[in-house]
Amino acid sequence: MEYVTRIVIIGGGPGGYEAALVAASLGAEVTVVDCDGLGGASVLTDCVPSKTLIATAEVMTTFDSSYEELGIIVGDPESHSGCAAGPSKDRPARVVGVDLGKVNRRVKRLALAQSHDITASVTRAGGRVLRGRGRLEPGQAPDGSRKVTVTAADGSTEGLIADAVLIATGAHPREIPDAQPDGERILNWTQVYDLTELPEELIVVGSGVTGAEFAGAYQALGSRVTLVSSRDRVLPGEDPDAAAVLEDVFRRRGMNVMARSRAQSAKRVGDRVEVTLADGRTISGTHCLMAVGSIPNTEGIGLEGAGVRLKDSGHIWTDKVSRTTAPGVYAAGDCTGVLALASVAAMQGRIAMYHFLGDAVTPLNLKTVSANVFTDPEIATVGYSQADVDNGVIDARAVKLPLLRNPRAKMQGIRDGFVKLFCRPGTGIVVGGVVVSPRASELIHPISLAVDNNLTVEQIASAFTVYPSLSGSIAEVARQLHTRKTAGG
């Protein structure tokens, strides 16, 4: 009888379900243990829901920022004289609003549908999905196998024997002791989809990616937003030029951005929320969204007892092929703290299965990862950053070209944004890039291909682009870098 390798995956997010699909395709017997539904937080409470909400906000923002310039009339046509005199005093041109209850119902429906699709894919591939909480038991059997105990919602347990275990348990929102979410007025990012009415005055605490995305989205939907940042600027971990553009856009659109302002507490005061800052100042709003980071879901699942080393932050230590310090135990996703992106989690999970099951594997290379901040404009990055260049991590030249010069951008009424490329001096090999633009998440792909395949600025510059197109700016930046390279500048 042919032996079948047994794989148990604890956690059904991108790291878990992608690993399951790979393991099943390679002939392993796969069981995915999950308590909330496949897709994990990424699909059910984080990435998919937030980007669905942002999609609505994006339509609102695009319309709001360019309809007048493009000659679009909104409202009663009779209020316009020959479509030229503009709206009358008592008839505003804009009559666009949002039904947040309907938006959030759509958000939840799409997230659930995506979760069901993922479950169907895993089961169709031959994997088993087991509802419950998994715990890794100490030690290994003489044959090297490990045991995972699964506890169902009704308290019943089931033991699973695995030749390899993948931990993909994700993370949950971090909370401030004096700002506990109540799900009504003080919220974390998993609770906002229960709102049925648009917050009139929203205070967003935290100016990282999550805080910036939600602040921009709710401002576009019609909330008056105050963004509280403990740092000097929004998005402190992103390209400084990109962050400066976004902060300028936020302020120009009416957002109150409070830099160097650390929130100390948030409390309900009647039907309002009062946020107290570390310097004693207070801010009042109808709602408060706490976006102050996340904590890995690594407690209470037997990791340390099984020999899995945890970092001081609680994240699981892994190498570049997703191995932990415990033989036969791998980890993927936000619980590792490597890079909190669904794409990275999925790659970590796939690499783990390729490695254990003996297939060809390429170790994780974070310098080829493309990432996107879904604000308006979007900020997409790949490869080495401006900080890497400034800090001497890599010797590279950079050119930044504002989108304002791009003919397609002019046609579409796009004023904010740029394309920036980094290349090695001498060779001209592209090592990184930044795009700040509507749909930057789509425009970054050719730069990602260049970084991943060591293409030169000359190769990018010589490839045809459509005219007019936003992607034309990528080629133009490459041409400028190539000219400087050949000129020795």
Side-chain angles (χ1 to χ4, degrees), residues 153-220:
D154 61 5
S156 61
T157 61
E158 179 179 345
L160 303 174
I161 303 300
D163 298 298
V165 176
L166 175 70
I167 309 297
T169 47
H172 62 275
R174 177 174 169 263
E175 296 178 356
I176 296 175
D178 293 328
Q180 293 294 310
D182 60 13
E184 295 178 354
R185 296 283 175 174
I186 304 174
L187 310 157
N188 63 37
W189 68 75
T190 70
Q191 298 170 329
V192 295
Y193 311 108
D194 293 325
L195 293 174
T196 57
E197 294 183 358
L198 188 69
E200 185 178 343
E201 303 167 35
L202 178 65
I203 302 169
V204 178
V205 177
S207 63
V209 172
T210 301
E213 287 184 345
F214 276 112
Y218 277 101
Q219 182 189 46

Side-chain angles (χ1 to χ4, degrees), residues 208-289:
V209 172
T210 301
E213 287 184 345
F214 276 112
Y218 277 101
Q219 182 189 46
L221 294 174
S223 297
R224 291 195 296 276
V225 176
T226 297
L227 180 59
V228 179
S229 172
S230 62
R231 308 289 286 274
D232 292 338
R233 59 177 172 83
V234 301
L235 297 174
E238 298 297 322
D239 181 270
D241 292 331
V245 169
L246 185 65
E247 185 167 334
D248 178 65
V249 169
F250 278 175
R251 293 182 188 276
R252 201 168 67 232
R253 292 175 180 168
M255 186 183 297
N256 178 21
V257 180
M258 302 182 66
R260 297 179 295 279
S261 302
R262 184 176 297 277
Q264 197 167 53
S265 67
K267 63 179 180 179
R268 292 279 295 270
V269 181
D271 60 355
R272 297 184 67 80
V273 177
E274 189 174 275
V275 175
T276 301
L277 305 180
D279 61 8
R281 289 178 295 165
T282 60
I283 315 164
S284 179
T286 59
H287 297 76
C288 177
L289 171 62

